[in-house]
């Protein structure tokens, strides 16, 4: 029976089990320890191949001598050597049986071994067998361990290749940006560049403009206060006209009843349109996972989503200009405080684009759900 060490190894299957850094370092240390021995064995093996010691049955045309590192030839040569050893063992047993038969016929006991020598040989034989079994067990354990680590490393290989490609791409982009900065510095003369005094002057002008805008804002607030007072006066006048309004409303209801009798089909169409709008709104909430809409304050809108992972986005608007003034997003991440999207928030506030911020937050939530963050 062929030895398990010469049997072909099974192919390494892919696995989804993540490989830890300790396992990778363990494999690397084991490889570094056996590398010198493997180099010596390989050198001695190649020297024997050059001398033609692997020519099967004395043939000078042995493929293994010309290609000593080809695995299929090595396996075939090992099988041939095993067959040769089996035949040699059979020949030895046959010769020993013939010699014993001749001694039996001639009544010649031959060389006699004493009980003490037999016991010593038996003890040595048992010891050698125990060491051989232990060596085989350790070798099989090492082979199983190496196979398992190889499978785990092979499973991690696509991710490592992908990350290496991404790193190379980022490095190329950085180099391109550096070259672009160098070209800009070369093409733009020094006198056309923005100096620190010019920048300070622009900043001072902007401060003056902000002060003027602040003064205009105060004037608009005062105008709004006076408009509120006028609105209160108008409200009092409306209260005085309320009886006439009630009478007119009754007349309108009577006219509406008459109109409903004539325009019932139009009312049904409007009802169907309202039902469609309500269904579309529910579908939008279910599609994007919008679970709740809250207004903690007059100028804050809080949106709570339930998928792809639960997260919350708060939009704060300027009460005067009605533009996006600030935003907060909380996208929980397992084992961490959350995903930081402060840069996207700053860009959305500068562009006054709340939809862009909601789309970016949803993309990050999707990446968290897929385990890509």
């Amino acid at each position: 029976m062929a030895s398990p060490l010469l049997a072909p190894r099974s192919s390494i299957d892919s696995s989804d089990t993540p490989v830890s850094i300790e396992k990778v370092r363990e494999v690397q240390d084991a490889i570094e320890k056996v590398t010198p021995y493997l180099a010596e064995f390989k050198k001695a093996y190649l020297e024997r191949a050059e001398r033609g010691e692997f020519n099967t049955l004395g043939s000078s045309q042995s493929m293994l001598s010309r290609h000593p590192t080809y695995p299929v030839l090595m396996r075939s040569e090992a099988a041939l050597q095993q067959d040769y050893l089996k035949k040699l063992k059979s020949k030895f047993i046959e010769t020993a049986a013939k010699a014993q038969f001749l001694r039996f016929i001639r009544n010649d006991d031959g060389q006699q071994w004493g009980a003490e020598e037999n016991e010593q040989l038996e003890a040595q034989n048992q010891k050698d067998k125990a060491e051989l079994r232990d060596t085989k067990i350790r070798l099989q354990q090492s082979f199983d361990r190496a196979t398992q680590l190889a499978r785990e490393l092979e499973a991690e290989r696509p991710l490592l290749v992908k990350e290496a490609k991404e790193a190379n791409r980022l490095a190329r982009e950085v180099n391109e940006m550096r070259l672009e900065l160098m070209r800009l510095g070369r093409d733009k003369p020094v006198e056309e560049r923005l100096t620190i005094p010019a920048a300070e002057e622009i900043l001072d002008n902007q401060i003056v403009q902000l002060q003027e805008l602040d003064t205009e804002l105060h004037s608009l607030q005062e105008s709004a206060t006076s408009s509120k007072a006028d609105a209160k006066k108008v409200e009092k006048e409306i209260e005085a006209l309320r009886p006439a309004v009630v009478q007119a409303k009754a007349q309108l209801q009577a006219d509406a009843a008459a109109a409903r009798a004539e325009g019932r089909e139009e009312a049904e169409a409007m009802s169907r349109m309202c039902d469609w709008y309500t269904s579309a709104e529910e579908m939008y909430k279910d599609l994007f996972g919008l679970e709740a809409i809250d207004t903690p304050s007059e100028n804050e809108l809080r949106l709570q989503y339930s998928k792809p992972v639960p997260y919350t986005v708060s939009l704060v608007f300027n009460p005067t200009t009605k533009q996006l003034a600030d935003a907060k997003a909380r996208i929980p991440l397992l084992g961490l405080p959350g995903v930081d999207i402060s840069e996207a928030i700053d860009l959305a506030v500068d562009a006054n684009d709340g939809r862009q911020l909601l789309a970016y937050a949803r993309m990050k939530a999707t990446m968290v759900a897929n385990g890509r963050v």
Side-chain angles (χ1 to χ4, degrees):
M1 182 176 63
S3 173
L5 300 177
L6 300 176
R9 298 184 181 177
S10 59
S11 59
I12 299 177
D13 300 330
S14 300
S15 175
D16 296 333
T17 306
V19 180
S20 62
I21 299 299
E22 291 76 8
K23 291 184 179 179
V24 175
R25 290 178 178 172
E26 181 180 354
V27 173
Q28 184 178 4
D29 295 340
I31 292 174
E32 290 178 355
K33 289 180 181 180
V34 301
T35 298
Y37 301 101
L38 293 177
E40 293 179 2
F41 293 154
K42 183 176 181 181
K43 182 179 179 182
Y45 174 77
L46 294 176
E47 289 177 354
R48 292 181 61 191
E50 291 178 359
R51 291 195 298 268
E53 296 184 10
F54 298 124
N55 292 335
T56 305
L57 301 179
S59 175
S60 60
Q61 301 297 326
S62 176
M63 295 294 293
L64 186 62
S65 297
R66 287 180 289 174
H67 305 283
T69 59
Y70 192 54
V72 177
L73 295 177
M74 293 174 66
R75 186 188 306 167
S76 177
E77 186 68 20
L80 292 175
Q81 294 294 339
Q82 284 182 344
D83 293 339
Y84 175 73
L85 291 175
K86 289 179 180 179
K87 293 179 181 178
L88 186 62
K89 182 179 179 181
S90 300
K91 187 67 175 179
F92 174 78
I93 294 174
E94 181 181 355
T95 305
K98 288 180 179 179
Q100 186 177 2
F101 179 70
L102 291 174
R103 287 196 301 270
F104 178 75
I105 292 175
R106 294 181 299 179
N107 197 15
D108 184 10
D109 294 337
Q111 186 179 2
Q112 298 294 328
W113 296 90
E116 184 177 356
E117 288 82 357
N118 289 331
E119 291 178 358
Q120 292 178 357
L121 291 174
E122 181 66 21
Q124 183 65 29
N125 189 20
Q126 293 297 330
K127 181 179 179 182
D128 294 340
K129 287 183 178 180
E131 292 179 357
L132 180 60
R133 283 194 299 270
D134 295 340
T135 303
K136 286 184 177 180
I137 292 173
R138 290 196 300 270
L139 182 60
Q140 186 63 33
Q141 290 176 353
S142 301
F143 175 75
D144 295 340
R145 181 64 175 170
T147 303
Q148 181 65 23
L149 292 177
R151 290 176 180 173
E152 295 174 355
L153 291 174
E154 183 66 20
E156 291 293 323
R157 184 176 179 276
L159 180 60
L160 295 176
V161 171
K162 182 179 179 181
E163 291 180 352
K165 291 181 179 179
E166 183 68 16
N168 292 332
R169 184 184 66 81
L170 294 176
R172 287 196 300 270
E173 291 182 357
V174 170
N175 291 331
E176 291 176 358
M177 293 301 296
R178 288 178 179 174
L179 292 175
E180 184 65 22
L181 290 175
M182 293 175 63
R183 284 194 293 268
L184 290 175
R186 180 192 61 192
D187 298 338
K188 296 294 182 180
V190 179
E191 56 272 10
E192 295 183 2
R193 299 178 185 177
L194 183 64
T195 60
I196 295 178
E200 291 178 351
E201 183 179 359
I202 294 174
L203 179 60
D204 295 337
N205 294 333
Q206 290 178 350
I207 292 174
V208 173
Q209 292 177 1
L210 289 175
Q211 290 176 352
E212 293 175 354
L213 292 174
D214 190 37
T215 303
E216 184 178 356
L217 177 62
H218 285 299
S219 63
L220 291 175
Q221 288 178 349
E222 292 177 356
S223 300
T225 303
S226 61
S227 298
K228 287 182 180 180
D230 295 338
K232 289 182 179 180
K233 294 180 181 178
V234 173
E235 186 178 358
K236 290 180 180 179
E237 294 177 358
I238 290 174
E239 289 293 336
L241 295 174
R242 188 174 296 279
V245 172
V246 171
Q247 184 179 359
K249 186 176 181 181
Q251 183 64 33
L252 287 174
Q253 289 178 351
D255 295 340
R260 278 197 302 270
E262 298 176 357
R264 186 176 302 277
E265 293 181 357
E266 182 179 358
E268 291 178 355
M270 292 297 295
S271 177
R272 288 194 298 270
M273 185 177 295
C274 291
D275 294 338
W276 174 84
Y277 179 80
T278 303
S279 300
E281 182 180 4
E282 294 296 329
M283 183 183 68
Y284 176 84
K285 289 183 178 181
D286 183 71
L287 180 62
F288 291 94
L290 184 59
E291 187 175 3
I293 301 175
D294 298 327
T295 53
S297 60
E298 295 181 356
N299 60 333
E300 182 179 358
L301 180 63
R302 181 179 298 168
L303 305 176
Q304 297 181 1
Y305 294 86
S306 61
K307 62 180 183 180
V309 294
Y311 67 98
T312 305
V313 179
S314 298
L315 304 176
V316 181
F317 298 90
N318 191 319
T320 304
T321 61
K322 306 301 181 181
Q323 293 184 351
L324 185 62
D326 195 4
K328 299 178 181 178
R330 183 177 182 274
I331 305 175
L333 183 61
L334 183 60
L336 296 174
V339 179
D340 184 15
I341 61 170
S342 58
E343 184 177 358
I345 291 175
D346 296 336
L347 293 175
V349 171
D350 294 338
N352 189 28
D353 192 353
R355 291 190 300 176
Q356 177 185 358
L357 177 59
L358 294 177
Y360 187 83
R362 180 171 181 81
M363 180 189 70
K364 282 293 185 181
T366 304
M367 293 175 66
V368 171
N370 295 333
R372 296 170 56 191
V373 177

